[in-house]
Amino acid sequence: MESVRVLSGANTPCNSFPNSVRAKVSNGRVSGQVGFAPLWRLRRRRRNGGLCLRLTGSVLGEGDESGLGLGGSSRDRDDDDDGVDRIQIQTQTTQSSGVDQRKKKQQLEKGLILGTERDGSGSVIGFHLIPPPGEIELSDSHEDAVIDEVRETEDIDGEETPQTRATYNVVFVTAEAAPYSKTGGLGDVCGSLPIVLASRGHRVMVVSPRYLNGTTADKNFAGAVDTGSCIKVHCFGGVQDVAFFHEYREGVDWVFVDHPAYHRPGNPYGDIYGAFGDNQFRFTLLCHAACEAPLVLPLGGFTYGEKCLFLVNDWHAGLVPVLLAAKYRPYGVYKDARSILVIHNLAHQSAINSEVSKPGKSGEVVHLVTESLGVEPAATYKNLGLPSEWYGALGWVFPTWARTHALDTGEAVNILKGAVVTADRILTVSQGYSWEITTVEGGYGLQELLSSRKSVLNGITNGIDDVDWDPSSDRHIAVHYSAEDLSGKVQCKIALQKELGLSARPDCPLIGFIGRLDYQKGIDLIQQAIPEILQDDVQFLKSSSMFQVMLGSGDPQYEDWMRATESAYKEKFRGWVGFNVPISHRITAGCDILLMPSRFEPCGLNQLYAMRYGTVPVVHGTGGLRDTVENFNPYAREGHGEGTGWTFSPLSKDIMLSALRVAIRTFREHKSSWKGLIKRGMQKDFTWETAAIQYEQVFEWAFVDPPYVS
Ligand SMILES: Nc1ncnc2c1ncn2[C@@H]1O[C@H](COP(=O)(O)OP(=O)(O)O[C@H]2O[C@H](CO)[C@@H](O)[C@H](O)[C@H]2O)[C@@H](O)[C@H]1O
């Protein structure tokens, strides 16, 4: 996918509108915006004979914003007597090394015909699209055209094969979106899925906070400019002024909600002292602002309007469907909008805090109330800016065992619960997890409610950003490699061992772990197993010559343990405490095995990255891990073997160690089987394109049913 911004050039009427022309070229389709007229959903068409002014240029590479210039001359002026000037856009891709194959293809885009828009004095103030009859299909974001259909009449070979699919105005609401903000997988998903949906013709906005924490991370927001739009949010007993910043990048409108509550040291949710005490306030603001953004922000000249599809991610965005139902629809606003709740992690709701979850006497998971994470005392309901009669949607009562004292009635407001009740549909990030959340073990108290909504509950396995995570072009790793030529992988391993101060031993298995240091991730199992893995224990297959590296941050007790383990096993163990994206790429490339003993895993991205990098996953068979890692069977396919890793179950230290032993024996003694495992994993399709098609199906279903009303 090429993403370009067309800057206005000399000698053209566009001179007075720098940055007013933007276009994206993807799979033979041009989308973007020109002047105040959105071009999204324009398809490539060839025209004989150009009209008027012509835009020409080259796509120089990812992120290049000056690739196209606007050229033109007087002879290009359109003298048709219809009173509009016209422009032809022509883009051509030039090759740049190391980018995705798709980027290496030359593309020629012709024939987008535009008209100018003039003010009363006759000055050009923008451009409109003028579709030649029967040649160009287009729509804009006017409300009556929000949901339209893309007719795809050409297949890859240029054959005429009519297909129709709907496109939507999609509004993601999320607490994090990479590369602007990321603490885990939520950021990855909300940073990459929107781009893929936009490339498929949808108009996509992502609304998240503009976090400024006084570190170099603030520069992530440098490309976002103040829109000048400011709204007043009535909540928490006062009126808050909230501003919007905006960046148009890779076909997506990235909208950042600005308020002083987002400007403080720490990550999006907390600092070294724990979760911020005002998170309910901070994310209430986000939700109110996200509901207003499609109505008030004229992005590219037009608002998104009311007929939107909100994708609300986890509890932080959970007030959005409640606000639509309680605050807007009763007044006839958003009556045709829909909302889909996307659950990335049910444990990230509420006082149900995974870091302090413990197995109870009868086997159920007991959660202690320590932090405010979306469940707050019932008295805080009045702060949310909702009509009082809607309390029931969010009202929640803790089971008796979870109450803190005899007089505690357990009454609370649970924002995610409100979203489960009011969202038009619910999605989880794998099919396995969509079932697990309806069980006592995985439902965190919401299982019955979720079961009652089974008819609108689906699971779609996450994709990965296959440009960012590509061993053949990854800028963070020492040597590039591919499934066809694996020689660079061992170089990456040696480079990693050197970087970490371990002896360079390509023959010794190197086991990696990357992730939040959290009870969810099964760190305690690794803790228990480390002595057996690293001590000179004959049971563990020459374990004296095995290495383990862990990268993670989170629970301080696990961070301390990693530091202590590194001191105890200087020759064999490295524990990198912190959040470091380049290192995470190097570990993914340099290790032989990625260990993921997650207690539960809604999808999991690291095992997908690992497989793409030829690193064999050994995972607990749960949720998305079970859905994505195929257990190795050396005897299948007449001895050629099948599978991409090992899934073990049930979750225990001993079972995990058994799986690791088998993996290590295969690494050492069955080289061809190991190579087969690597190659099969690398050839798996985990791209977002596949997931996006499934998302579109769910979008369609969302609009088949009427919206939620009380
Ligand atoms: N210390 C560190 N340094 C650098 N990078 C680090 C890091 N710690 C974690 N990461 C990165 O953060 C991401 C974590 O993604 P996961 O899907 O594994 O977990 P998470 O539990 O946060 O996400 C939740 O949401 C996602 C998305 O839906 C689900 O896949 C998942 O199951 C669910 O728990 C990966 O990109 C990983 O490389």
Side-chain angles (χ1 to χ4, degrees):
M1 179 176 66
E2 289 79 18
S3 179
V4 299
R5 175 171 288 192
V6 184
L7 300 177
S8 55
N11 307 321
T12 78
C14 277
N15 267 351
S16 50
F17 303 97
N19 296 328
S20 66
V21 185
R22 316 185 288 200
K24 185 173 66 174
V25 187
S26 173
N27 296 333
R29 191 187 300 163
V30 175
S31 59
Q33 294 175 321
V34 174
F36 301 105
L39 283 182
W40 59 282
R41 218 175 301 152
L42 274 170
R43 288 185 45 75
R44 179 175 65 168
R45 287 286 183 268
R46 295 187 189 286
R47 281 184 59 77
N48 298 324
L51 281 172
C52 319
L53 303 174
R54 176 176 296 164
L55 285 165
T56 59
S58 298
V59 182
L60 297 179
E62 192 182 9
D64 188 277
E65 291 204 334
S66 57
L68 294 186
L70 182 63
S73 65
S74 55
R75 72 180 161 75
D76 289 323
R77 289 296 297 265
D78 176 28
D79 290 319
D80 285 2
D81 56 10
D82 58 8
V84 290
D85 295 325
R86 289 174 174 165
I87 293 174
Q88 180 172 8
I89 291 179
Q90 187 179 38
T91 66
Q92 190 168 357
T93 308
T94 55
Q95 293 200 353
S96 67
S97 61
V99 295
D100 190 285
Q101 281 294 324
R102 286 171 296 169
K103 294 181 179 173
K104 293 175 182 166
K105 290 181 193 161
Q106 279 227 328
Q107 292 193 20
L108 194 62
E109 308 291 343
K110 285 184 177 179
L112 310 183
I113 309 301
L114 315 171
T116 52
E117 185 180 317
R118 296 172 189 277
D119 65 14
S121 68
S123 303
V124 177
I125 60 167
F127 294 93
H128 281 309
L129 305 175
I130 310 292
E135 285 213 1
I136 291 181
E137 295 165 53
L138 60 93
S139 65
D140 64 20
S141 54
H142 291 298
E143 284 174 18
D144 56 357
V146 167
I147 297 161
D148 207 346
E149 290 176 343
V150 170
R151 276 181 206 89
E152 299 186 322
T153 53
E154 283 173 30
D155 66 12
I156 294 164
D157 305 321
E159 297 292 320
E160 294 286 309
T161 51
Q163 301 165 19
T164 303
R165 68 180 164 82
T167 58
Y168 302 93
N169 276 358
V170 183
V171 180
F172 282 76
V173 188
T174 175
E176 46 182 292
Y180 306 99
S181 52
K182 168 175 161 175
T183 68
L186 174 64
D188 281 348
V189 171
C190 292
S192 50
L193 175 59
I195 294 170
V196 176
L197 288 173
S199 77
R200 295 178 58 79
H202 305 281
R203 192 180 184 203
V204 185
M205 177 197 301
V206 179
V207 186
S208 67
R210 182 168 175 265
Y211 302 108
L212 299 179
N213 63 10
T215 70
T216 51
D218 292 355
K219 71 178 184 322
N220 294 340
F221 294 94
V225 295
D226 192 344
T227 60
S229 295
C230 190
I231 57 163
K232 294 199 181 298
V233 173
H234 295 258
C235 64
F236 284 76
V239 182
Q240 304 295 329
D241 288 319
V242 174
F244 294 98
F245 281 63
H246 172 245
E247 179 177 5
Y248 181 80
R249 184 178 59 81
E250 297 203 63
V252 174
D253 289 303
W254 304 91
V255 171
F256 303 106
V257 178
D258 195 48
H259 185 275
Y262 304 127
H263 305 170
R264 60 176 68 154
N267 76 19
Y269 314 109
D271 57 17
I272 50 167
Y273 304 107
F276 295 131
D278 59 349
N279 276 343
Q280 191 194 41
F281 169 70
R282 297 166 79 236
F283 295 114
T284 295
L285 277 187
L286 171 68
C287 294
H288 279 271
C291 288
E292 287 296 304
L295 306 177
V296 304
L297 296 181
L299 304 174
F302 292 98
T303 62
Y304 275 52
E306 289 181 38
K307 293 180 184 169
C308 294
L309 176 60
F310 286 92
L311 283 188
V312 305
N313 295 275
D314 279 352
W315 80 262
H316 324 99
L319 269 189
V320 168
V322 189
L323 288 168
L324 296 181
K327 189 180 152 193
Y328 290 91
R329 285 192 188 125
Y331 301 97
V333 182
Y334 281 134
K335 56 189 185 314
D336 295 320
R338 297 291 188 279
S339 60
I340 299 177
L341 168 66
V342 186
I343 299 177
H344 297 262
N345 197 333
L346 204 56
H348 283 175
Q349 50 131 1
S350 83
I352 292 172
N353 179 354
S354 60
E355 285 178 18
V356 290
S357 305
K358 294 186 176 146
K361 280 189 195 135
S362 53
E364 86 281 22
V365 179
V366 174
H367 310 279
L368 304 182
V369 180
T370 59
E371 290 178 7
S372 58
L373 289 169
V375 178
E376 296 281 352
T380 61
Y381 178 80
K382 64 178 186 317
N383 294 333
L384 304 178
L386 288 167
S388 56
E389 62 271 23
W390 279 81
Y391 176 81
L394 283 77
W396 163 262
V397 181
F398 278 104
T400 324
W401 56 259
R403 299 181 196 169
T404 47
H405 51 81
L407 297 179
D408 183 356
T409 59
E411 286 175 78
V413 286
N414 181 335
I415 291 177
L416 192 79
K417 185 223 156 188
V420 172
V421 170
T422 54
D424 296 305
R425 294 197 72 91
I426 302 167
L427 270 175
T428 62
V429 289
S430 70
Q431 285 191 2
Y433 192 60
S434 74
W435 171 77
E436 285 175 12
I437 60 172
T438 62
T439 66
V440 177
E441 294 78 15
Y444 287 83
L446 294 178
Q447 61 275 7
E448 281 175 24
L449 180 61
L450 286 160
S451 299
S452 74
R453 303 225 63 201
K454 256 185 185 162
S455 61
V456 293
L457 172 62
N458 298 96
I460 299 175
T461 303
N462 285 331
I464 59 173
D465 183 331
D466 58 343
V467 175
D468 236 24
W469 290 89
D470 181 353
S472 68
S473 60
D474 189 328
R475 66 201 154 101
H476 300 302
I477 64 176
V479 182
H480 294 154
Y481 60 95
S482 65
E484 290 69 46
D485 178 7
L486 283 168
S487 55
K489 181 153 176 71
V490 74
Q491 301 302 321
C492 288
K493 178 173 177 177
I494 292 168
L496 177 67
Q497 287 173 325
K498 283 187 181 157
E499 180 176 1
L500 298 176
L502 294 166
S503 43
R505 295 281 305 275
D507 52 316
C508 296
L510 180 58
I511 305 170
F513 170 91
I514 301 166
R516 290 180 295 106
L517 300 179
D518 184 309
Y519 182 79
Q520 171 194 348
K521 302 293 181 184
I523 314 291
D524 50 322
L525 264 84
I526 302 180
Q527 250 179 333
Q528 291 165 33
I530 276 290
E532 279 177 69
I533 296 175
L534 297 181
Q535 272 168 17
D536 290 353
D537 174 2
V538 284
Q539 293 292 309
F540 210 91
L541 294 165
K542 302 182 197 163
S543 61
S544 54
S545 53
M546 195 162 58
F547 301 115
Q548 170 132 12
V549 50
M550 292 180 70
L551 166 68
S553 59
D555 189 331
Q557 63 158 330
Y558 295 132
E559 293 185 350
D560 291 345
W561 166 77
M562 270 168 50
R563 292 188 190 99
T565 308
E566 182 171 315
S567 314
Y569 299 97
K570 282 200 184 62
E571 306 300 315
K572 303 170 195 166
F573 182 90
R574 285 293 174 274
W576 187 303
V577 175
F579 195 91
N580 190 314
V581 172
I583 291 288
S584 74
H585 283 242
R586 292 202 276 278
I587 291 176
T588 306
C591 285
D592 302 297
I593 293 168
L594 188 85
L595 181 60
M596 289 183 74
S598 303
R599 230 166 223 96
F600 67 94
E601 197 59 81
C603 176
L605 296 174
N606 287 314
Q607 83 280 10
L608 305 182
Y609 299 146
M611 285 186 269
R612 185 153 165 79
Y613 280 65
T615 300
V616 178
V618 175
V619 303
H620 175 215
T622 181
L625 297 177
R626 187 177 41 218
D627 287 3
T628 55
V629 178
E630 284 168 42
N631 218 6
F632 176 52
N633 175 359
Y635 308 110
R637 295 174 49 246
E638 296 176 345
H640 291 291
E642 68 183 13
T644 55
W646 281 269
T647 58
F648 60 88
S649 183
L651 185 68
S652 76
K653 180 200 75 172
D654 291 333
I655 305 281
M656 179 182 83
L657 285 176
S658 308
L660 266 182
R661 281 192 187 100
V662 177
I664 288 162
R665 181 170 288 131
T666 309
F667 171 84
R668 286 188 197 281
E669 296 170 14
H670 303 281
K671 298 284 180 205
S672 67
S673 291
W674 193 257
K675 205 166 177 185
L677 273 160
I678 288 180
K679 289 207 165 188
R680 284 190 295 275
M682 292 184 85
Q683 282 156 357
K684 283 267 165 203
D685 175 10
F686 292 121
T687 58
W688 269 117
E689 301 291 338
T690 314
I693 293 166
Q694 297 171 40
Y695 266 83
E696 284 166 351
Q697 175 65 77
V698 176
F699 295 172
E700 223 173 275
W701 290 338
F703 282 93
V704 168
D705 295 325
Y708 179 92
V709 282
S710 59

